[in-house]
Amino acid sequence: MNLSGGQGARVRPFLLTLVLGLLPGPLAQSAAPAVPSAPAATPKARQVPATPALTPQEQSTLQKLISRVRPATVRVEQCLSTRCDDPDGIGSGVLISGDGLVLTAYHVISGATALSVQLLNQKRYAAEVVGYNDQDDLALLRVKIPAGTPFLALAAGRPAVGDVALAVGNGNGAFLTPKTGRLLGLDSDPGRADFPPGTLELNAPLIPGDSGGPVVNTRGEVTGIVSYIRLTQSGQPRSYAVPVSTTDARVAALKRGEKRDAPVIGIGLGGVFSDLFFLPEEGFRELAGPLKLGDTPGAFFTSVTRGSPAAKAGLKPLVLNSDDERISGDIVTAVNGKRIVNFAEFQYAVRAHQPGETVTLSVLRDGKPLEIRVTLVGRSQLQN
């Protein structure tokens, strides 16, 4: 399920106030602006125990690591290596072999027509995609780098909560900037189907542009690839990285050239509604009165991508009149018979399948039940 432009609901001030009152607390976002990604939403709440600050000795160890890690970290740019004054997107990556394999986040390179990487000496080299895994936000590039260019090994073992960590990236356009912190969790759930599950959580203050960069342990081994960030209720950043290791089957598949798309149908939830991924049944009922949504909670959406499976199936996005009342718009209540009540549950239900599979949507249209079959496609196919 992807998010896209298209028809959207017109929103008047009173509706904005109503929707803002239903918004959840902390926000999650992609950590790199390379490609527009899904709007913010709330990860599942989780209590994180108080974490001690880094000791002087730990800080000293990490500072010594920086000189080893930066030469193996790269700036990933969506542009030609020969013409890159204004790249379409910027992210980060890390060399993991002497023959130029670069591990990064998939969303850093998604949709790119040309890719290049910039080394510490600021020389650029063309990059080609070897493989990618949209579901787990990983991608592998190959770059023809000079012999002897430093690289980092993947970690041999699993990290532990409380481990110190060094991340290097290109946040906000800065160049290979180091940031430090501790691991807070090893199997964190973002609470969103379009963000990778089972991530490492750390308190390093990462920002957009750091995505794809390495998270490194005190031995200089790569334990994770930065994927997304979120803000806590108190406004503190939490950073999340996809764990990697020498025995990681996903990395092995990337080296074999596997290109694994996430399944989508081509609908989006945008505008003032973009943070209502997790709208509970009670929240739906609060909106249902003013918007004339009907009595049965379900997933509504505000856009349908042209030429997508959703468009071909005739799914109808939410459209409001001048009084902010629904004049059209489907409410999806189940996927293959599994009950859903909001957009997030709709996403999870779709992501449980593979591109090429056909699912049956239970839909309410003008209060009348419909069964609509939709064949899923890969997200990259919809972008092209």
Side-chain angles (χ1 to χ4, degrees), residues 75-87 113-119 122-128 142-144:
R75 177 179 167 114
V76 179
E77 299 167 312
Q78 291 197 14
C79 60
L80 294 170
S81 59
T82 55
R83 189 171 68 252
C84 200
D85 295 332
D86 186 21
T113 56
L115 288 167
S116 63
V117 303
Q118 194 173 15
L119 304 185
Q122 299 192 355
K123 291 185 178 180
R124 285 191 178 89
Y125 299 88
E128 62 177 355
R142 185 176 293 280
V143 184
K144 293 182 179 180

Side-chain angles (χ1 to χ4, degrees), residues 74-335:
V74 302
R75 177 179 167 114
V76 179
E77 299 167 312
Q78 291 197 14
C79 60
L80 294 170
S81 59
T82 55
R83 189 171 68 252
C84 200
D85 295 332
D86 186 21
D88 291 333
I90 295 173
S92 308
V94 59
L95 284 157
I96 60 169
S97 71
D99 60 350
L101 290 179
V102 173
L103 197 56
T104 185
Y106 173 67
H107 76 264
V108 168
I109 60 101
S110 174
T113 56
L115 288 167
S116 63
V117 303
Q118 194 173 15
L119 304 185
L120 182 60
N121 61 12
Q122 299 192 355
K123 291 185 178 180
R124 285 191 178 89
Y125 299 88
E128 62 177 355
V129 178
V130 176
Y132 64 79
N133 182 331
D134 189 357
Q135 292 275 32
D136 289 298
D137 199 22
L138 289 173
L140 189 67
L141 312 179
R142 185 176 293 280
V143 184
K144 293 182 179 180
I145 55 173
T149 301
F151 65 92
L152 299 180
L154 299 184
R158 183 175 171 85
V161 172
D163 282 358
V164 296
L166 168 67
V168 176
N170 301 282
N172 278 357
F175 188 66
L176 302 182
T177 303
K179 296 170 183 176
T180 60
R182 288 189 189 276
L183 293 183
L184 307 178
L186 303 183
D187 192 20
S188 298
D189 180 1
R192 278 187 49 173
D194 53 343
F195 287 167
T199 53
L200 305 178
E201 181 177 1
L202 60 157
N203 60 3
L206 304 182
I207 54 178
D210 288 325
S211 266
V215 175
V216 179
N217 62 23
T218 55
R219 294 182 295 278
E221 300 169 330
V222 180
T223 61
I225 298 296
V226 177
S227 180
Y228 64 98
I229 62 174
R230 74 175 178 93
L231 299 179
T232 66
Q233 292 278 14
S234 60
Q236 296 300 309
R238 289 287 184 267
S239 307
Y240 297 82
V242 179
V244 292
S245 69
T246 55
T247 59
D248 196 315
R250 296 169 304 183
V251 176
L254 296 180
K255 291 179 178 180
R256 294 194 302 269
E258 179 179 276
K259 295 179 178 178
R260 183 185 178 195
D261 270 327
V264 297
I265 65 173
I267 65 171
L269 185 66
V272 72
F273 302 102
S274 62
D275 288 318
L276 297 185
F277 275 54
F278 294 87
L279 186 68
E281 294 186 52
E282 312 82 66
F284 182 95
R285 292 189 175 96
E286 287 187 49
L287 282 177
L291 270 62
K292 308 297 183 186
L293 295 178
D295 299 328
T296 305
F300 57 85
F301 45 95
T302 57
S303 63
V304 172
T305 303
R306 186 175 303 171
S308 68
K312 294 175 182 177
L315 289 176
K316 298 182 180 297
L318 178 66
V319 177
L320 306 180
N321 63 18
S322 59
D323 293 322
D324 291 326
E325 296 176 340
R326 183 181 63 156
I327 56 177
S328 68
D330 293 336
I331 306 295
V332 181
T333 60
V335 177

